[in-house]
Amino acid sequence: DFGQVEADPAGVPMVVARVAARDAEPRMVQFSIVLLGPADPVYPQRTYRFRHARRGDYAFMVTPIAREAAGTSYEACFSHAT
């Protein structure tokens, strides 16, 4: 579980809903992580700081991609050379 800490000092609880590999060029690794957060409020696309209880703090850009009764889904895309 992640807590998004920049938008709210108390943290906004988010859980990893899925991780997916993406097609990439040779010598490139790409994947995305979809996080599920509360339905309201919907946070705009930007870079946020996240805190994981065991892994520490991270900063990455997320984009809201879906809003359902269960909450709002946000996607973060990553790529790096191999």
Side-chain angles (χ1 to χ4, degrees):
D1 294 356
F2 280 89
Q4 183 228 47
V5 296
E6 194 167 86
D8 183 337
V12 177
M14 294 194 177
V15 297
V16 175
R18 71 178 177 271
V19 177
R22 298 189 168 237
D23 291 334
E25 299 292 322
R27 300 189 316 245
M28 185 68 85
V29 174
Q30 294 181 323
F31 65 97
S32 67
I33 298 173
V34 175
L35 299 168
L36 181 63
D40 287 307
V42 175
Y43 296 99
Q45 174 180 309
R46 63 175 262 211
T47 301
Y48 293 94
R49 193 166 38 105
F50 291 83
R51 175 163 293 142
H52 186 273
R54 290 188 313 225
R55 307 236 184 249
D57 290 358
Y58 295 87
F60 47 87
M61 187 173 113
V62 296
T63 303
I65 58 170
R67 189 173 183 196
E68 302 168 355
T72 301
S73 295
Y74 298 87
E75 182 177 44
C77 297
F78 301 88
S79 60
H80 66 86
T82 58

